Amino acid sequence: MSSAGNHTAGRYLLQRLRGDRRTLFRVLMWTGVESLPAFAAGHFVALAIDRGFLAGEPLAGLGWLTLLAVSSAVGAFGARGALLSTAALVEPLRDALVTRTVEGTLRHALTGGRVEQDRSGVARLTRQVEIVREAAGSLVAVVGRFAFSFVGVCVGILTLEPTVALLVFAPVAVGVGCYLVSLRGVVRTQMRSTLATESLAHEAWRLSAGLRDITAYGLEERALRRLDDAAEENACAETVLARLAALRTLALGVGGWVPLVLVLLWAQWGAQAMSAGTILGILTYLAQSLRPAVQTLVQGVGTTGIRLFVTLGRLLDAPGPRPGGAGPTPAPAVPASVSSTGVGEGDPGVEVVLESVSFSYPGAANDVLSDIDLHVAPGEHIAVVGPSGIGKSTLASLLAGTYGPTRGRVVLDGVDLTSLAPVQQAALRAYLPQEAYVFTGTLRENLGYLADGPADDHRMNRAVTEFGLTDLVSTTDGYDGLVDPDALSAGQRQLIALARAYLSPARLIVLDEATCHMDPAAEARAEEAMRERPGTLFVIAHRISSARAADRVMVLDGGIPQIGSHDQMLAESALYRDLVGLWTAKVCTHEERA
């Protein structure tokens, strides 16, 4: 939360609290009654000593101490009234926050904003509002008690011994003032710590929830690097908070204990005229009233106050109208296909645009891909070819969103792919690497893993027929039979992964040599099924049949890619001709061996 957000939270809080002036006046009145002992304690102790016990009148001394006890009882009665009045003051704040947040979220959704489906959202809203209510009440009580106690101590000391006043007020002003000045930085750091903790928890959740996918796609190092970055940010924020906690301790020492030490030194060497009762009265003011008030203020503002401003700032930053009449926060654009129920007949697929895309791995001297521009129409079938190590798999990862470009943008249906949340990317595309991901579970669960809701048997039967999985269904005793990944061949695992993508709602399919473990006949059948499926298709080709069947072929050779039809690339690209010759030679060799 920025400093502007802190000011917004402060203005909103003051506006709500000042709205009910009568209740606020009752809070101040009862707080004054609660602080009565802070003013009376020192005077009654001084009178009990000087006019009672030291004057040889023990009954008079006991009488003054009895009045002190009565003032303490009156203070306890005032504390009860202050508590009830404070509760009445902050209850409307809770109701206003709930109303504002819910109305803002609904208005945000109705004006085109996105609201993530989260069953725990209501619970989080309730908890955050309750935090604001409790913290606001505590802060009002803490500030009120300190103000009245400080005024009471000031008046009491001035009436007992005016020459001591400067020894008391100067350290308190320095300690409390320095701490209050530093609060803005403390709030920012606390917000940083809160966001870092949330980020760390989110990354840990993503790592545990997507462990299978991370392992299947070989992204362990990248996932751990993200988790390490979040942990490092959280550790840095907590370190800064610990340093600021030392400042709070210093403020407590200067404002709470230094006056006490100065008064004792003054009584020893500089104020022989002060009576014993006066000295004990001043010490009573300091030890019983002033030091606890300073400690409560510093700790209360440093914990409850910061918690209040951070939580209130988060609530005010929720979707909806901002204070001052600002409109709803605009939501980032999302392709219409993300909110659809899935790919259907006649669906044109996704438009893919690469704008000056470059990519280099961390620590690498050169780009793997450099300044690639590409426009793919919805529903187009593109085959990507090139020698090993040229960047074909890297391009597939960029299209799938598992890597982000070092420079440039990958745009799907007019939206930057990196701006979409993982769940939105998953609804838009399906990515199949060379090593297919199959988990221990039923065949139905494996085939429907990416489906938009339960896949019915009719659609599943069609996918099984298209990809030649009939024998596997029989082997597993139907769709509800268990699948053991270790018992499957690499080609069978790829067929399951292809059928899974076929049944998914994705409008973009990226196949990174996802048929490399199949025989030519099975591969041809699988790629034909994918071509007949509505949507845009990218295939990292390793056979001539894949390139010949594509609408266009993209040739990667380390420079500016060439793209065109199969016949056009044969005429214009020497590298493509070499690759086709190599593929053809391999086919002839296999036929001769057969």
Side-chain angles (χ1 to χ4, degrees):
M1 183 172 61
S2 63
S3 58
N6 299 336
H7 292 311
T8 300
R11 287 197 303 269
Y12 181 84
L13 182 63
L14 289 175
Q15 178 185 358
R16 299 304 310 183
L17 294 180
R18 289 186 303 189
D20 190 352
R21 295 181 182 274
R22 295 182 60 182
T23 304
L24 183 59
F25 175 77
R26 289 202 304 272
V27 171
L28 296 176
M29 181 189 70
W30 284 113
T31 303
V33 175
E34 179 186 6
S35 303
L36 178 62
F39 168 74
H43 263 286
F44 287 154
V45 167
L47 291 172
I49 297 298
D50 289 339
R51 299 185 183 182
F53 300 111
L54 291 182
E57 299 287 343
L59 292 180
L62 291 174
W64 289 114
L65 293 181
T66 301
L67 289 178
L68 177 59
V70 171
S71 70
S72 299
V74 173
F77 181 72
R80 176 182 178 277
L83 179 62
L84 295 176
S85 300
T86 302
L89 182 68
V90 298
E91 284 298 326
L93 173 65
R94 178 181 63 177
D95 297 338
L97 276 176
V98 171
T99 301
R100 180 195 178 280
T101 305
V102 172
E103 287 182 350
T105 302
L106 291 175
R107 188 177 296 110
H108 178 67
L110 291 174
T111 54
R114 292 179 294 126
V115 179
E116 298 290 340
Q117 295 182 355
D118 189 345
R119 295 180 181 179
S120 63
V122 174
R124 286 204 309 271
L125 169 64
T126 303
R127 173 165 174 75
Q128 289 180 350
V129 171
E130 285 300 315
I131 288 174
V132 171
R133 181 185 68 84
E134 295 174 4
S138 298
L139 187 63
V140 169
V142 165
V143 173
R145 289 192 193 109
F146 174 79
F148 280 97
S149 297
F150 185 69
V151 171
V153 168
C154 291
V155 173
I157 291 178
L158 285 172
T159 55
L160 281 178
E161 183 60 47
T163 58
V164 180
L166 184 62
L167 299 177
V168 174
F169 305 148
V172 173
V174 171
V176 174
C178 291
Y179 184 71
L180 293 179
V181 168
S182 70
L183 275 181
R184 179 178 296 182
V186 176
V187 172
R188 285 198 300 266
T189 305
Q190 181 65 56
M191 188 61 189
R192 176 188 171 191
S193 174
T194 300
L195 294 176
T197 301
E198 292 178 357
S199 177
L200 179 60
H202 178 66
E203 288 299 330
W205 174 84
R206 286 184 55 178
L207 183 63
S208 60
L211 196 56
R212 286 178 171 179
D213 290 340
I214 291 170
T215 303
Y217 294 158
L219 300 175
E220 296 93 334
E221 182 178 350
R222 184 183 178 195
L224 289 175
R225 186 164 59 248
R226 288 171 61 101
L227 187 64
D228 287 342
D229 291 342
E232 183 177 354
E233 172 64 19
N234 185 68
C236 290
E238 292 298 327
T239 301
V240 175
L241 276 180
R243 292 172 181 168
L244 292 173
L247 180 62
R248 181 174 67 185
T249 303
L250 180 61
L252 280 173
V254 173
W257 291 104
V258 170
L260 191 64
V261 173
L262 292 178
V263 168
L264 290 174
L265 293 175
W266 178 256
Q268 178 68 27
W269 290 299
Q272 288 77 11
M274 283 197 304
S275 66
T278 299
I279 295 174
L280 287 177
I282 293 174
L283 293 179
T284 300
Y285 278 129
L286 297 180
Q288 186 174 335
S289 298
L290 183 60
R291 193 188 64 79
V294 171
Q295 181 175 359
T296 302
L297 176 71
V298 172
Q299 291 181 343
V301 173
T303 55
T304 303
I306 292 174
R307 191 181 186 196
L308 168 64
F309 281 99
V310 170
T311 307
L312 182 58
R314 295 298 301 277
L315 286 173
L316 295 179
D317 283 339
R322 294 290 189 266
T329 303
V334 178
S337 53
V338 170
S339 59
S340 303
T341 57
V343 67
E345 297 296 334
D347 195 310
V350 174
E351 178 189 48
V352 180
V353 177
L354 276 65
E355 299 177 352
S356 302
V357 169
S358 299
F359 180 84
S360 61
Y361 291 98
N366 300 315
D367 291 337
V368 178
L369 300 172
S370 181
D371 294 325
I372 295 181
D373 291 295
L374 177 66
H375 179 270
V376 179
E380 194 171 4
H381 174 195
I382 302 294
V384 181
V385 301
S388 298
I390 202 64
K392 302 189 297 297
S393 294
T394 301
L395 177 62
S397 296
L398 291 171
L399 292 169
T402 57
Y403 289 160
T406 306
R407 297 183 301 278
R409 298 197 307 159
V410 178
V411 181
L412 305 184
D413 276 355
V415 178
D416 191 328
L417 181 59
T418 59
S419 69
L420 298 178
V423 66
Q424 295 164 343
Q425 293 183 12
L428 196 62
R429 58 95 183 109
Y431 169 52
L432 280 73
Q434 296 180 26
E435 298 303 321
Y437 166 47
V438 177
F439 56 88
T440 301
T442 66
L443 183 59
R444 184 186 302 277
E445 289 170 340
N446 272 279
L447 293 177
Y449 182 62
L450 299 179
D452 187 12
D456 56 56
D457 285 354
H458 176 71
R459 293 186 63 227
M460 206 166 283
N461 289 337
R462 180 178 177 183
V464 165
T465 302
E466 292 283 357
F467 292 94
L469 288 168
T470 305
D471 291 342
L472 181 60
V473 174
S474 301
T475 303
T476 58
D477 296 326
Y479 295 131
D480 295 320
L482 289 178
V483 172
D484 180 7
D486 294 332
L488 301 176
S489 67
Q492 287 176 317
R493 290 196 294 269
Q494 286 188 331
L495 285 173
I496 291 176
L498 286 165
R500 177 192 299 153
Y502 182 86
L503 292 170
S504 76
R507 287 168 166 79
L508 169 64
I509 302 292
V510 180
L511 307 180
D512 183 7
E513 298 191 12
T515 58
C516 62
H517 297 301
M518 300 179 189
D519 59 73
E523 179 185 38
R525 182 175 58 227
E527 289 192 358
E528 182 180 359
M530 283 297 187
R531 287 193 299 272
E532 293 177 353
R533 178 189 183 277
T536 306
L537 179 63
F538 268 85
V539 177
I540 307 301
H542 69 286
R543 285 195 178 103
I544 189 173
S545 57
S546 300
R548 184 180 287 121
D551 296 326
R552 288 190 294 167
V553 179
M554 182 178 188
V555 182
L556 296 180
D557 59 0
I560 298 176
Q562 294 177 278
I563 188 165
S565 66
H566 169 70
D567 293 336
Q568 185 179 355
M569 289 298 96
L570 281 176
E572 298 179 2
S573 173
L575 174 60
Y576 187 66
R577 288 194 298 270
D578 291 341
L579 290 172
V580 170
L582 179 63
W583 289 332
T584 303
K586 286 183 178 179
V587 171
C588 292
T589 301
H590 287 309
E591 290 178 349
E592 290 173 357
R593 289 177 180 174

